[in-house]
Amino acid sequence: MKEGDSTEKLVESLVEELNCETVFTIPVFGGIAVDEGVVVTWIIMAVLTILSIVFVRNLSVEKPGKVQLMLESVIGWAQDFFEGIIGKENRGYIPYLMTVALYLAISNVIGLLGFKPPTKDMNVTIALAVMSMFVIEWSGIHRNGLVHWCKHFAKPVPIVAPIMILEIVIRPLSLCMRLFGNMLGGFVVMELIKQVVPLIVPIPFSFYFDIFDGLLQAYVFVFLTALFMTEEME
Amino acid sequence: MSGTIIAIGAGIAVLTGIGAGVGIGIATSKAVDAIARQPEADGKIRTSLILGCALAEATAIYGFIIALLIVLLLK
């Protein structure tokens, strides 16, 4: 009966990880529960804000320092990358996409520092997907006008209209599920490997599941958002 | 007994991974082919390969989520 016991324990620990714990409650309006993911998001926001302030402090045109050169090359690369997808005339959306990419990249690998990754909580990925949904639809309306946006559902033939309307919801749903499933899947596989062989063997797997997969999913999320936006702006 | 059936159901749900694996394998082999033919177009090939892989992988992820829900919620 030892086998069954360990399975039970594993299932219990997985359920524990799936539930988002409430860290504290704000005592207004009958108590607003603040989840772990929200607190970790606040920490990420604080770190990113402080880093942004520190990095842009001593910028100069004549004598760029090492930090400035590095920063310029990274930002320039990211800007070129997004410009290649959504086009030069829509560069106003690039800061939003870069912000989401930065937040996702940090929150996906923050598990290495002992925090619980916010993206392993489905509420966070749903919120991000809803943001993506509004940006995608807004980009289409802003570019081509409301009338064209209403009409484009009936193209190329009116019979596809239900599918096109469903697509508004399906695209963010698949974005959200992909991110959440990948994060959770990597976590579950890592837990299983750690149970079987707790020594040395998990290290290469951790490189893949914790670092490579996290960064890849952040990339895929913003890449697909930008791609859907271009599709909508056509 | 019901535990066994639940485990079998979760196993069947995870079989969606077969499709994703075959799809990503074919996509990667074609991409390698294309890069070998036209090495200067590797940037564009890589972006479309990643897009295709992400879309193909989604089905495996859906199967995985269903399996997880079966195991965790029906136990």
Side-chain angles (χ1 to χ4, degrees), chain A residues 58-66 68:
Chain A
N58 290 320
L59 297 189
S60 78
V61 182
E62 281 90 29
K63 270 201 312 182
K66 269 183 200 159
Q68 189 183 345

Side-chain angles (χ1 to χ4, degrees), chain A residues 15 18 174 177-178 181-182 184-185 217 219-220 223-224 227, chain B residues 47 50-51 54-55 57-58 61-62 64-65 68 71-72 75:
Chain A
V15 170
L18 265 177
S174 95
M177 282 301 172
R178 177 178 302 119
N182 265 298
L184 193 70
Q217 287 313 314
Y219 169 78
V220 164
F223 179 68
L224 284 179
L227 209 77
Chain B
T47 42
I50 287 174
L51 172 67
L55 293 177
E57 187 197 46
I61 296 295
Y62 298 152
F64 167 72
I65 288 177
L68 212 63
V71 170
L72 296 182
K75 62 166 166 132

Side-chain angles (χ1 to χ4, degrees), chain B:
Chain B
M1 188 59 204
S2 78
T4 317
I5 294 173
I6 287 169
I8 292 172
I12 292 173
V14 169
L15 286 184
T16 49
I18 294 173
V22 171
I24 293 175
I26 292 174
T28 310
S29 89
K30 296 281 181 192
V32 171
D33 226 24
I35 292 178
R37 270 166 211 253
Q38 259 186 317
E40 65 272 14
D42 65 333
K44 277 184 182 171
I45 293 168
R46 192 180 304 126
T47 42
S48 33
L49 172 68
I50 287 174
L51 172 67
C53 285
L55 293 177
E57 187 197 46
T59 56
I61 296 295
Y62 298 152
F64 167 72
I65 288 177
I66 297 295
L68 212 63
L69 291 179
I70 288 172
V71 170
L72 296 182
L73 300 184
L74 291 185
K75 62 166 166 132

